[in-house]
Amino acid sequence: MSKSAVLTASNVVKTYGRVVALDGADLELFPGEVLAVIGDNGAGKSTLIKCLSGAEVPDNGSIEIDGSVVTFRKPQDGRDAGIETVYQTLAVAPALDIASNLYLGREIRKKGPAGSILRMLDSSGMKRKAKDHIAALGIGTIQNMSQAVETLSGGQRQAVAVARAAAFGQKVIILDEPTAALGVRESNQVLKLIESLRERGMPVILISHNMPQVFEVADRIQVMRLGKRAAVVTPKTHDMKDAVAIMTGAMKVDAKDQTLKPVR
Amino acid sequence: MSQVGSHDAAAEFMGRASNAQKLQALLHRYPWLSSAAVLLIASISFSFFNENFLTPGNLSLILQQVAIVGAVAAGQTLIILTAGIDLSCGAIAIFSSMVMAKTFMGDPYVEGDGLPVLVAFVIGLLVGTFAGWFNGYLVTKFKLPPFIVTLGTLNVFIALTLIYASGRTVTTEEMDPFLLQLGHIINIGEFKVTQGVIVMLLLYIILAFALRFTGWGRHVYAVGDDINAARLAGIQVNRVLLSVYMVAGLVFAIAAWIVIGRVTVASPNTQPDLNLDSITAVVIGGTSLFGGRGTIFGSLIGAIIVGVFRNGLTLAGVDLYYQVLAVGLLIIFAVTIDQWIRKART
């Protein structure tokens, strides 16, 4: 029962000039859970996950993975440590095909001299593996890996981005507003993807504005307020009204009523 | 297509697509198709006006005429694929040709003053590569728009060429045979092409290979397609951009060798239209000025189209001014097609 956290952030501080974005924020992510991070605009949720993924360097505080302290200077550092982030702005190249996008920046070369001397890419191998990764997430609607990403619907594009994260994320997957630009049906597809990530035991941090979605998929919900963790609740102990109240500061939750330990 | 991946809906959509939409989708996938079609139609039309047009001799002549622009357009394509542009490409080529010839010749009044020809040649290639690096450095380090950077360096390189040449042409007699090598004719069956044409074609084959089959090529497309997406995917965007400008600079310097072979002298005033002509070839060849879309062989077709129009209209007895007009209309046509293709949904 006493699981230890995969990812821990303690007392993280980040300022932009005189603006204090994070004022000693904490976060614990446990194995196999979906942790939602919610909060009003400017509450610091985006900055917090940027610090976790390496896109921003915190001014103070520490980040630990599996109990050992890590220091990220750039996104590549976070990625090397096993943290994959799916950005709100869909970091896919529209004119490239699905397989190329999945392996963008980590292309596989052919074996033998064709790869080592001529530096040729193993395109068919990447397509085959891309297909496996897509299939592993249960995305049956994408079949042709040579299809350009721009020909896909918004939900399918998001699925490609999530599949890329799932394929390479060793420890943690962070999803930043994955449904913000999507319609209802497509959002449901993405929520299913999150659930299939959880089934595979992959811990997920979900940043979202969409309360119903958060309450549908999250195991625990961390509410941010004024650059700090205001409370951690679960969909079982609190409802959406409570969450809004905590976000706005109208409600305080005692430590004993919070859910700081894993529920799964 | 609101429901994700409904195959039936997709099939129905495709079924309902008009012929224009199907054509649009096809061109979206293969942007060089429209330029290939233009080349084919133009060639057939011109052969009606003049029976000499489609002879091996005339076609060889066209290839010889487009060798220089074609080679420069190969480098230009790389830059335009990254959503950049190089207005200084011709100036780099002429600067490199001047450096090659003049470092070999040295002071014409001092016997044996110059450097060995191969050393001079390599220095010329390095100067071109360095000029490309300088453009790339300004673009990546100071985040300046490539248009502005190369507008500035265009003048810089022209000035350096004039200063270095000190207003003097290196004549054919002062030139080493190696530097003139690419002007020599090779017979391939009925065709008589210069070695410069062969070198140009080799450039295209090598660059096409790199773009198509290597990770670098894929990164070039990704950077031009969406630079932020490429950065977030872990691509070192600035390194890719810098390498593109340097490779292009090297290609322009190799084009300089073709220039010397063709005009047989090294003059600061030769090929004044090279800068814009190379962009014309790339655009007519179907590569998008917005980056990320296009093929390098399209630019070869584009260069040949311009050559075919000039040659065909000349054979048809059309005045030179109208030839310029025709090329202008071609550019507008090509860009219009590109805009239309970009709207394709499937």
Side-chain angles (χ1 to χ4, degrees), chain B residues 88 95 158 236 251 271 284 300 306:
Chain B
S88 71
F95 186 34
I158 289 176
Q236 287 174 298
V251 170
Q271 307 284 325
I284 291 178
L300 179 59
V306 175

Side-chain angles (χ1 to χ4, degrees), chain B residues 1 11 20 60 93 110 141 174 226 257 259 264 272 291 296 304 334:
Chain B
M1 287 268 283
S60 306
V110 180
K141 181 82 181 173
E174 291 162 332
D226 187 334
W257 194 20
V259 171
T264 70
I296 190 141
I304 294 175

Side-chain angles (χ1 to χ4, degrees), chain A residues 76 79 87 89 91-96 100 104-105 107 118-121 123 126 141 150 156 164 185-186 189, chain B residues 1-5 7 28-29 209 213-215 218-219 221-222 225-226 229 232-235 292-293 345-346:
Chain A
Q76 194 63 45
R79 194 172 288 137
Y87 296 94
T89 48
V92 287
L96 292 184
S100 304
L104 195 57
E107 287 83 357
L118 292 177
R119 315 216 139 218
M120 283 178 81
L121 296 178
S123 294
M126 284 192 281
T141 61
E150 65 196 343
Q156 287 174 320
R164 178 167 68 190
R185 272 177 170 161
E186 299 185 326
Q189 288 278 327
Chain B
M1 287 268 283
S2 62
Q3 185 178 355
V4 178
H7 276 297
H28 192 254
R29 245 191 122 173
F209 176 89
F213 293 112
T214 70
R218 212 159 273 190
H219 295 173
Y221 277 95
D225 200 8
D226 187 334
L232 290 173
I235 294 174
R293 205 178 302 272
R345 282 188 54 194
T346 48

